[in-house]
Amino acid sequence: MGLNAKAENVANIAFEVSFTEPQAHYADVKMTIDNINKNDILVKMPVWAPGSYLIREFSKNVESFKASSGVEKISKNTWKINTKGKKSVTINYRVYCFEVSVRTSFIDDSHAFLSPTGIFMYVDGRLAEPATVSINPFKGWDKVSTGLEKTDGKSFTYYAKNFDWLFDSPIEVGTQDVFDFDVVGVKYEVAMVGGGNYDKERLKTDISKIIEKETDIFGENPNKRYVFIVHNYLSGGGGLEHLNSTVLGATRDGYQNEKIYKSFLGLVAHEHFHLWNVKRLRPIALGPFNYDEENYTTNLWIAEGFTAYYDNLITERAKLINTDEYLDMIQQDINAIENSQGNKVQSLSDASFDAWIKYYRPNENSGNTTVSYYNKGSLIACMLDLAIIKKSEGKQSLDDAMRYAYNEFYKKKNRGYTDAEMKLVFEKYTGENLDTFYADYINGTKSLDFNKYLGYAGLTLVDRTPITKQPYLGITVSKSNKNEIAFVSRNSSAWDSGLNVNDQVLAINGQRTTDVLKDVANLDINKDAEFVVGRDGILKTIIVKFKPSTSKNMVIQEVEKPTDAQKTVLEKWLSL
């Protein structure tokens, strides 16, 4: 999918980005539109960034919008420009960029990160046209890192074959530390922003292992060039995938800490895996994009959940983590989902569809009403993987299903898949009718029978929940105030008794408290407790009747005498 932009690749839409006041966090954008054949055109700013399913209203950061012809703003993100008798129009606007994340633009006096859907506008009806972007770096800035291809003979000028490519190509401008390496016939570039105690050679070696293992799954790497933009912070994380690049957040001085470093490699594996799963093999709703509104799909559990499954599995295959560490990650996901109150309320398909209003807009009750399509989707992928390995007696795995779907929908049909089509793919490789599986686990909220699938590999879940006589309240407290309730778990003692989020717990059984959870741990589980709370300036007395916690601590263990068939599944699954 790489594109060598030649000098003759002239675009009718061109951008020029300058930084006259980077210390004040502004980008100055000049947009030139040629080949106009209408009396008016609509110029729009996208409202969301692909890969991050939330309406972010990027136009809120636009100011000083001016055009060389008459202009009228007609909606939150749309400007109507009178172009009667004109073949060309020039637009100038400024964008305020001061939000630190992998999906939003940030500019200061040290660098500029341009997240394109929040910087570049488009002409309604002309998304399929190519565009050029010229960057004028601020004084002292000498590098530009982006997946866009350079145009011949022009410094810091880049070409996008259409606006989907432009909007999927973040741009880093500054003095970043850049190093590159070649693997599987692809040139990889890493742009390190913000310093850090990283070891370049170790990163090259370990990232190469990840790339090789992921490429093996799909049988090809669809790019000629790929860019990692890594923003290093005091404490950082998160990532966002793009067609031939990704943006990662990392902890600046965490690269020498093995736990933090392995977590970073897992993030690399996750976002890089997306270049196949999501960016090419994708739900049918996710491309071509509508940049004006939500793009709904019930399949984020595949797009994100399967990627969350493979990120850890790939690092295990690459021997960047050991088998025990990997099984511990599976174990953590099982406990997180099965102990989640929201898992009993929201299905995976609903979690995917409602990501726009729930996952990216959590509130104090989200833990009781929602489930993560990342964690639970990862467990579904694991269950299907084990089922495929068992059915094929170790000859196939979920890899084969993913490769088949990639070839069938992306390469042959050049479109996304429907929910029904992916179900057929999974049925083809598991050899099972998955109607009940889908009804229970995808479209329903039935508890996962994970023991069944682990059993295929000679593993079992053992309940290691500690026996305790400590009372369970069922709250979490504010990080800044151990007396302020931040979350109340559904059906817990606190929930049933009427304790609320934002309540300030002042006293328990007549004794002043400065640490609610610590003082509750010293109470008698068989006796009621009197809580005095402050709620909106009013004192309330609440009697709490304690009940046991329903949380479990499940541990994965090997069965005592695994069969040869179980050994075959385990060896295939974990590449032993």
Side-chain angles (χ1 to χ4, degrees):
M1 291 293 249
L3 175 67
N4 268 325
K6 302 299 182 183
E8 61 268 21
N9 287 132
V10 177
N12 288 314
I13 302 174
F15 296 91
E16 184 178 342
V17 185
S18 304
F19 309 95
T20 56
E21 293 184 300
Q23 83 290 348
H25 321 299
Y26 279 95
D28 302 282
V29 183
K30 177 182 177 182
M31 180 181 186
T32 303
I33 307 165
D34 294 327
N35 196 28
I36 298 171
N37 55 16
K38 292 183 173 183
N39 288 337
D40 55 63
I41 59 173
L42 300 182
V43 175
K44 294 172 170 279
M45 175 73 86
V47 301
W48 69 290
S52 180
Y53 308 102
L54 176 68
I55 299 299
R56 295 186 180 275
E57 311 292 20
F58 291 121
S59 59
K60 70 182 182 289
N61 295 318
V62 174
E63 61 184 71
S64 304
F65 186 98
K66 298 176 182 177
S68 59
S69 190
V71 60
E72 175 190 4
K73 189 171 185 180
I74 61 172
S75 76
K76 63 183 181 180
N77 68 320
T78 308
W79 289 260
K80 183 178 181 181
I81 301 174
N82 184 343
T83 54
K84 186 174 182 180
K86 297 182 180 296
K87 292 294 184 183
S88 177
V89 67
T90 299
I91 299 167
N92 288 277
Y93 59 93
R94 309 188 83 202
V95 185
Y96 181 70
C97 307
F98 196 57
E99 184 177 352
V100 174
S101 84
V102 295
R103 62 194 70 85
T104 51
S105 298
F106 180 89
I107 299 171
D108 66 10
D109 58 4
S110 66
H111 78 115
F113 171 63
L114 306 180
S115 183
T117 50
I119 297 292
F120 303 113
M121 297 191 185
Y122 66 95
V123 181
D124 191 35
R126 295 176 66 171
L127 281 169
E129 291 190 28
T132 59
V133 176
S134 296
I135 303 293
N136 297 321
F138 186 64
K139 182 180 179 181
W141 298 355
D142 59 358
K143 296 185 183 74
V144 173
S145 299
T146 179
L148 294 172
E149 293 297 330
K150 289 182 178 179
T151 58
D152 289 349
K154 294 183 180 179
S155 179
F156 299 138
T157 299
Y158 303 87
Y159 180 87
K161 66 180 180 180
N162 55 49
F163 274 74
D164 284 330
W165 269 93
L166 175 61
F167 289 152
D168 224 359
S169 301
I171 301 170
E172 176 66 33
V173 189
T175 58
Q176 59 268 27
D177 181 19
V178 178
F179 58 92
D180 55 37
F181 55 96
D182 294 328
V183 60
V184 297
V186 179
K187 178 168 285 295
Y188 280 81
E189 175 184 314
V190 179
M192 285 290 192
V193 183
N197 62 352
Y198 50 88
D199 180 332
K200 293 182 187 179
E201 294 308 314
R202 186 182 185 190
L203 281 173
K204 289 180 185 179
T205 298
D206 291 345
I207 293 175
S208 292
K209 291 177 182 177
I210 290 169
I211 293 166
E212 288 169 348
K213 293 297 182 182
E214 291 184 347
T215 302
D216 285 346
I217 294 171
F218 294 95
E220 67 172 19
N221 193 307
N223 293 306
K224 294 181 180 178
R225 181 172 166 269
Y226 189 96
V227 180
F228 290 98
I229 298 173
V230 184
H231 290 144
N232 293 293
Y233 304 108
L234 178 64
S235 179
L240 187 64
E241 71 275 4
H242 298 281
L243 278 160
N244 66 345
S245 64
T246 186
V247 184
L248 310 176
T251 298
R252 182 179 297 121
D253 293 322
Y255 293 93
Q256 302 305 315
N257 178 304
E258 285 302 302
K259 183 177 180 180
I260 296 175
Y261 180 68
K262 288 177 180 179
S263 178
F264 174 73
L265 292 179
L267 178 62
V268 169
H270 183 100
E271 302 305 337
H272 187 263
F273 192 83
H274 271 316
L275 78 86
W276 294 277
N277 191 35
V278 170
K279 301 316 301 184
R280 291 168 176 84
L281 173 61
R282 57 177 174 76
I284 200 161
L286 297 185
F289 294 116
N290 180 342
Y291 296 101
D292 251 357
E293 60 186 38
E294 296 88 346
N295 292 226
Y296 294 105
T297 174
T298 56
N299 292 126
L300 292 182
W301 61 274
I302 300 175
E304 291 292 352
F306 280 41
T307 304
Y309 171 63
Y310 271 105
D311 56 20
N312 293 326
L313 185 61
I314 289 297
T315 56
E316 191 274 338
R317 287 180 183 175
K319 306 308 176 188
L320 299 172
I321 61 172
N322 62 42
T323 300
D324 288 341
E325 288 173 313
Y326 175 66
L327 291 177
D328 185 60
M329 291 171 177
I330 295 286
Q331 186 176 286
Q332 288 177 38
D333 276 346
I334 293 171
N335 283 306
I337 292 301
E338 292 308 309
N339 289 325
S340 163
Q341 296 299 321
N343 182 44
K344 304 174 181 69
V345 175
Q346 186 184 50
S347 70
L348 261 182
S349 55
D350 284 347
S352 299
F353 192 86
D354 284 339
W356 298 90
I357 58 172
K358 293 190 176 183
Y359 187 82
Y360 282 95
R361 282 199 177 104
N363 62 25
E364 67 283 348
N365 197 42
S366 292
N368 291 317
T369 62
T370 63
V371 68
S372 168
Y373 49 74
Y374 284 88
N375 297 59
K376 192 171 182 179
S378 173
L379 294 179
I380 293 293
C382 187
M383 291 160 66
L384 290 171
D385 197 5
L386 289 167
I388 294 169
I389 296 171
K390 176 182 181 296
K391 185 261 180 183
S392 66
E393 299 180 343
K395 297 179 179 66
Q396 292 182 318
S397 70
L398 186 60
D399 293 10
D400 297 275
M402 296 298 284
R403 185 185 309 113
Y404 172 84
Y406 174 81
N407 287 322
E408 185 70 15
F409 301 114
Y410 169 65
K411 298 196 72 176
K412 291 181 183 177
K413 297 181 178 177
N414 192 31
R415 63 165 174 82
Y417 55 78
T418 66
D419 183 71
E421 286 173 331
M422 279 305 286
K423 178 173 175 286
L424 288 174
V425 171
F426 299 142
E427 288 178 336
K428 171 183 172 70
Y429 282 89
T430 59
E432 300 177 20
N433 180 303
L434 295 178
D435 287 352
T436 301
F437 186 94
Y438 265 65
D440 290 346
Y441 303 141
I442 309 304
N443 302 317
T445 58
K446 187 174 180 178
S447 209
L448 300 178
D449 186 5
F450 212 79
N451 235 340
K452 170 184 174 181
Y453 294 89
L454 284 176
Y456 296 159
L459 302 172
T460 186
L461 282 173
V462 179
D463 189 351
R464 290 284 185 253
T465 306
I467 298 174
T468 177
K469 295 182 179 180
Q470 290 184 339
Y472 169 70
L473 186 56
I475 68 168
T476 58
V477 296
S478 167
K479 291 181 180 179
S480 59
N481 184 347
K482 294 181 180 180
N483 281 28
E484 182 177 298
I485 298 176
F487 171 71
V488 179
S489 180
R490 187 187 295 270
N491 298 326
S492 66
S493 305
W495 176 282
D496 290 347
S497 301
L499 289 174
N500 287 187
V501 169
N502 297 329
D503 280 354
Q504 304 285 329
V505 183
L506 305 175
I508 302 175
N509 289 340
Q511 300 293 315
R512 182 80 176 178
T513 180
T514 58
D515 188 332
V516 176
L517 296 179
K518 179 180 178 182
D519 290 342
V520 165
N522 294 321
L523 298 177
D524 188 336
I525 192 172
N526 299 309
K527 293 182 179 180
D528 298 346
E530 181 184 87
F531 280 59
V532 176
V533 303
R535 184 180 296 172
D536 191 31
I538 298 173
L539 295 181
K540 294 179 69 71
T541 299
I542 296 175
I543 303 302
V544 174
K545 297 180 180 295
F546 289 114
K547 56 196 286 192
S549 169
T550 58
S551 293
K552 300 292 184 182
N553 179 28
M554 306 304 294
V555 177
I556 297 175
Q557 291 186 350
E558 293 184 40
V559 298
E560 190 171 332
K561 294 181 179 179
T563 65
D564 289 343
Q566 287 174 320
K567 291 177 183 177
T568 296
V569 172
L570 185 67
E571 289 169 3
K572 173 70 172 179
W573 180 36
L574 301 180
S575 303
L576 298 177

